[in-house]
Amino acid sequence: MRNVSQSQFNLPPILKPRLDGSGQGRRSVELPPVQQAQPLPEPNHPLQPSEAVQPPPAKSTVGKVGKRQSKSKPKPKFNLKFNLKTDLLNPAAAQLKRLPQPKLTVPAVKLPAIPLPPMPAFLKTQPKPWEWSIVWLWALGAFGGLGIVAFAWMASLPPLPECRSIARTSPGNLRLYCAQEKARSGQLPDLLAAMALINGWSEQEPLYDEVQRSISDWSTLVLIAARDQMAQNDLKGAIDTANQIPASSAVYPEAQETIAHWEQQWQKGEQIYAAAQAAMQAKNWTEASDWIATLNELQQDYWRVTQADRLAQQIQAEKQGWQALNKARKVAQSRSISDLAGAIGLVKDIVPQTYAWQAAQADLEQWGRSLLDLAMRQWQQGDLNGAIVAVQQVPLNVPLPSEVQDLVKFSHAEKQVAQVNEDSSWQQIWSLIEGISAMSQISTSSPLYPQAQARQQTWEKQFQDGVQLQWATLGAQLGQQSTLNWAIEQTKPIVGRSSMTNEGQNLIAQWQKQIQIIEDQPILNAAETVAARNTIPDLQQAIAHLRQIPSDRATWSETQRLTSQWQQQIQLLEDQPIWNEAQTLAKREQYTEAIALVGKIGSSRALYPQVQQAIETWKMAIRSAEMAADRIILNRAKAFAAKGDLTGAIATAAEIQPGRDLYLEAQGTIGQWLKQRDGDAFSSDADEADDLF
């Protein structure tokens, strides 16, 4: 094969130069061998480029493709995905193979190789398709991120001012903003603080109209809060609140007018209230009632409602108080201990805030002194108990002589300690301590000293017994058998020597029952364990276990309950086969056999109530079945009668037996058919049959 220079032949586009093996340097074209068609010029004659033999045009697919490509319009769109091997070299090689062999002979001419420029770097390594996707995704993410940052920056609000450090010297717009934010809560302190922050705004300053509008709105809310305070009877607070409305506010005149009205109404109410009190003090109930009616004419609810109701209640209390005082004065005229005590009791029912109570104080002191005189007289006569009863009725506000004070201490200590005779609680033990302390304060020179010492020694023993009983109770609360026995041993010495004997005996009996329960609990647990197997022998064995517990034990009631329960369970297990068989028969609609079978279960058995209920259900089913069968017979008889066969109808209806639900209906129908068949001759017999039924 000969090498032909590219400059010597005009080759078709498909025969463009190919890369050599190294991909660099020269380019060469290899022509296929051709057969000699005509003589060539002399060897020494140089082959001119213009005389180069052109191969005949071949009719191949390349030409067709070229024609289609020439007809198609060029597209300005560039495709960046280009592969040198698949898109250029492989198609070119395929086209070369399809070309026909040229009919010429070319002399062997060796042309010098023409060096070609080196291939660009971007043609050596083509980027992969997924690399371009990554590049575009990165660019899209970068531009999208910049857009989001820009939008967030544009949409973000500017920083809010710090209202906690705002002052009157701050810029006006900041003060107005902070005042509006503070007043937004609607609370009275915030409203007042907001008005104070923007008060004194001059007309030359900007935002003056908005400031005045805000102050007016907030002043209205402040005045409403002041009225609420007045409704709660707080005149001073309401006036102080309303006075804080600025003079520049449009609500200021209304606030001052409201304050003046409040003060006027309050002053008038105080005058009426004082006049009503004076009338009640003089016991002039009619005039006091008239003043209450006048008070109702005021506009403020405090005077019109609250104080008017209070005065009405006071008038009622005054009337009752004076009635009780007058009655007590009449009772106390006899000057006996019982009558004086009764009079003092009547006066104690008077309401302390009334004028009647104030007037009764002098009477109480006088009656108390009379009681003291009577008590000292009985004491001197040796009647200590009578003296104590008399002294206990003396009011506490009556001054007492020194010798009477000892008697009063003695009587009050007796009354305090009398409550511990049947109780040993810690509160009553504390009462014993107080009584002992009161007795110890009686002087040795007092005539009551020997009795006081005797009472003190008795109460000290009761105190010791009460403390011991309380400790025993605390120990018994642990619930152990040992602590219960210890509590019983601690309580036994108290029984019989103290006023707490009854309580001690009750506690001992209670603790003994707890001990019996603890002792018998293993037997109960063992019996319940055996009974849990739920068989007849096991249940009988469990009942035998319970019989070990005698009837005088604390667990006897529980034993009886478990015994009855397990006996019923035994009966259920014994009768269950009969009951199951009867239910099976009932499912087969053999109700008569089922009723006969469950009749074996007696009335004392556990299943008896359930069996009786089932029997009633089955009987109803039997009756329903009989009624359905009899209805069929009766309908058949009526069908015979409709055809004129009255004899057949009568015979068919007579099949319904007596005692059945449809028997009477069948007999009545038979009577009608007999009349129709036999006429009047049978009417008398039918009447007798009707009378019989």
Side-chain angles (χ1 to χ4, degrees):
M1 181 179 295
R2 291 173 295 178
N3 293 333
V4 181
S5 175
Q6 183 181 359
S7 61
Q8 294 176 345
F9 297 95
N10 293 325
L11 298 177
I14 198 63
L15 298 180
K16 291 299 180 178
R18 296 178 60 186
L19 292 175
D20 57 4
S22 62
Q24 297 180 355
R26 298 177 301 174
R27 299 182 184 181
S28 61
V29 177
E30 294 182 358
L31 297 177
V34 295
Q35 296 180 359
Q36 186 173 0
Q38 61 184 359
L40 294 176
E42 294 295 331
N44 57 356
H45 187 270
L47 184 63
Q48 300 297 330
S50 59
E51 300 175 358
V53 180
Q54 299 292 336
K59 296 181 180 181
S60 63
T61 57
V62 177
K64 295 180 181 180
V65 173
K67 291 180 181 180
R68 287 198 299 267
Q69 291 178 351
S70 62
K71 291 181 181 180
S72 62
K73 295 181 180 181
K75 297 182 180 180
K77 194 172 182 180
F78 296 97
N79 187 6
L80 297 179
K81 297 182 179 180
F82 175 76
N83 191 292
L84 181 61
K85 182 178 180 181
T86 58
D87 296 342
L88 180 61
L89 300 181
N90 290 342
Q95 295 295 335
L96 285 175
K97 291 180 180 180
R98 296 190 186 99
L99 290 176
Q101 297 293 335
K103 301 295 184 177
L104 79 155
T105 58
V106 181
V109 179
K110 187 176 182 181
L111 298 178
I114 300 174
L116 297 178
M119 183 178 292
F122 72 93
L123 292 177
K124 296 179 182 180
T125 57
Q126 293 295 330
K128 299 179 180 180
W130 60 269
E131 294 180 349
W132 286 106
S133 301
I134 294 177
V135 171
W136 284 111
L137 288 175
W138 182 86
L140 181 62
F143 285 110
L146 290 175
I148 293 173
V149 172
F151 177 77
W153 178 77
M154 295 175 63
S156 61
L157 296 175
L160 298 176
E162 184 62 36
C163 292
R164 289 181 296 180
S165 59
I166 201 73
R168 292 184 59 84
T169 58
S170 302
N173 58 344
L174 296 182
R175 283 192 293 151
L176 179 58
Y177 170 78
C178 292
Q180 291 174 345
E181 289 297 318
K182 186 176 289 292
R184 193 181 300 276
S185 66
Q187 301 296 327
L188 180 60
D190 295 336
L191 293 172
L192 297 176
M195 289 193 298
L197 188 60
I198 60 175
N199 190 21
W201 204 286
S202 63
E203 298 182 2
Q204 290 75 20
E205 295 186 32
L207 304 174
Y208 176 76
D209 294 337
E210 185 175 356
V211 168
Q212 291 301 115
R213 184 169 57 255
S214 299
I215 290 178
S216 178
D217 295 340
W218 300 340
S219 300
T220 302
L221 297 177
V222 171
L223 186 58
I224 293 174
R227 289 191 176 116
D228 292 340
Q229 290 177 339
M230 188 62 202
Q232 297 175 2
N233 308 328
D234 186 7
L235 176 64
K236 184 178 181 304
I239 293 176
D240 292 342
T241 300
N243 279 329
Q244 296 189 53
I245 297 176
S248 60
S249 174
V251 188
Y252 180 77
E254 181 183 357
Q256 296 301 315
E257 182 180 355
T258 303
I259 292 173
H261 178 70
W262 288 343
E263 291 177 342
Q264 180 183 4
Q265 290 285 313
W266 196 273
Q267 184 178 4
K268 188 175 181 180
E270 288 180 341
Q271 294 174 356
I272 296 174
Y273 188 83
Q277 292 291 335
M280 283 188 287
Q281 192 171 4
K283 293 184 286 187
N284 191 348
W285 315 123
T286 303
E287 183 181 354
S289 300
D290 293 339
W291 284 118
I292 293 176
T294 305
L295 201 62
N296 289 327
E297 297 176 359
L298 298 179
Q299 297 179 359
Q300 292 179 356
D301 291 340
Y302 174 72
W303 297 107
R304 185 172 57 87
V305 179
T306 306
Q307 292 299 90
D309 292 344
R310 184 178 299 174
L311 286 176
Q313 294 175 3
Q314 186 178 354
I315 290 175
Q316 187 67 22
E318 291 288 352
K319 290 180 179 180
Q320 295 176 357
W322 283 108
Q323 291 175 1
L325 181 58
N326 293 331
K327 184 177 180 180
R329 286 172 177 173
K330 292 180 181 179
V331 172
Q333 289 178 357
S334 62
R335 298 296 176 180
S336 64
I337 294 178
S338 59
D339 291 339
L340 290 173
I344 293 174
L346 289 173
V347 172
K348 288 181 180 180
D349 295 335
I350 300 175
V351 179
Q353 290 79 17
T354 58
Y355 296 110
W357 172 259
Q358 298 177 4
Q361 298 305 306
D363 295 291
L364 286 175
E365 184 176 355
Q366 180 182 358
W367 297 338
R369 291 185 179 278
S370 299
L371 281 174
L372 288 176
D373 293 340
L374 294 174
M376 293 299 297
R377 191 179 306 167
Q378 289 186 352
W379 182 19
Q380 292 173 358
Q381 294 176 359
D383 187 3
L384 180 59
N385 293 330
I388 292 175
V389 172
V391 170
Q392 288 177 351
Q393 305 299 326
V394 177
L396 298 177
N397 59 342
V398 177
L400 303 175
S402 58
E403 66 274 4
V404 179
Q405 289 181 3
D406 292 337
L407 181 60
V408 172
K409 292 177 183 179
F410 190 93
S411 62
H412 283 291
E414 284 279 355
K415 185 178 180 179
Q416 186 76 13
V417 176
Q419 303 175 2
V420 303
N421 291 332
E422 300 295 336
D423 195 357
S424 64
S425 63
W426 292 108
Q427 182 179 0
Q428 299 303 328
I429 290 175
W430 180 255
S431 300
L432 276 173
I433 295 175
E434 291 181 349
I436 293 171
S437 176
M439 289 299 180
S440 63
Q441 294 177 6
I442 296 177
S443 62
T444 56
S445 59
S446 174
L448 290 174
Y449 182 75
Q451 292 89 340
Q453 290 298 309
R455 292 287 195 279
Q456 182 176 353
Q457 293 177 3
T458 303
W459 294 345
E460 287 177 352
K461 292 180 180 179
Q462 291 182 5
F463 170 75
Q464 294 176 0
D465 294 342
V467 171
Q468 186 174 353
L469 198 59
Q470 286 297 316
W471 283 116
T473 304
L474 291 176
Q477 289 177 357
L478 297 176
Q480 302 296 326
Q481 185 174 359
S482 58
T483 57
L484 291 170
N485 289 325
W486 175 82
I488 292 174
E489 295 298 327
Q490 294 294 320
T491 307
K492 285 181 178 180
I494 299 175
V495 176
R497 76 178 186 188
S498 174
S499 60
M500 302 177 186
T501 298
N502 293 334
E503 184 180 1
Q505 290 176 346
N506 294 334
L507 289 174
I508 289 175
Q510 177 183 348
W511 295 336
Q512 287 176 346
K513 289 181 179 179
Q514 293 182 12
I515 292 174
Q516 292 177 3
I517 293 174
I518 294 174
E519 292 175 348
D520 297 342
Q521 194 62 43
I523 300 176
L524 294 175
N525 294 338
E528 289 177 347
T529 302
V530 174
R533 301 169 188 168
N534 200 25
T535 62
I536 295 177
D538 291 329
L539 291 171
Q540 293 174 348
Q541 183 180 359
I543 294 173
H545 275 295
L546 294 181
R547 290 172 181 169
Q548 301 177 17
I549 300 175
S551 59
D552 58 347
R553 305 287 287 182
T555 56
W556 174 251
S557 59
E558 179 67 12
T559 300
Q560 294 300 108
R561 185 187 68 81
L562 291 175
T563 300
S564 176
Q565 175 183 344
W566 295 339
Q567 286 176 348
Q568 291 181 1
Q569 189 66 22
I570 291 173
Q571 294 176 3
L572 290 175
L573 293 175
E574 291 175 346
D575 297 339
Q576 194 65 38
I578 300 175
W579 173 243
N580 293 339
E581 185 178 355
Q583 286 182 321
T584 302
L585 293 174
K587 290 180 180 179
R588 300 173 184 171
E589 296 184 356
Q590 299 177 1
Y591 301 115
T592 304
E593 293 81 356
I595 293 173
L597 183 60
V598 297
K600 300 177 182 180
I601 300 176
S603 60
S604 61
R605 308 292 286 182
L607 275 177
Y608 184 76
Q610 188 175 358
V611 165
Q612 293 302 310
Q613 185 177 0
I615 288 175
E616 293 297 327
T617 303
W618 297 338
K619 286 182 178 180
M620 290 179 62
I622 292 173
R623 290 178 61 187
S624 299
E626 291 176 347
M627 185 179 296
D630 293 344
R631 177 61 64 183
I632 294 173
I633 296 173
L634 190 59
N635 291 336
R636 191 167 66 249
K638 290 180 180 179
F640 287 142
K643 296 178 182 180
D645 186 4
L646 296 177
T647 302
I650 293 171
T652 303
E655 295 178 3
I656 300 176
Q657 300 298 322
R660 309 285 280 266
D661 292 339
L662 295 180
Y663 178 75
L664 296 178
E665 182 180 354
Q667 293 300 314
T669 306
I670 289 173
Q672 294 177 0
W673 292 337
L674 288 173
K675 288 181 182 180
Q676 294 178 8
R677 190 189 68 177
D678 300 337
D680 296 335
F682 189 74
S683 61
S684 59
D685 296 336
D687 292 338
E688 294 178 358
D690 292 339
D691 295 338
L692 178 62
F693 292 115

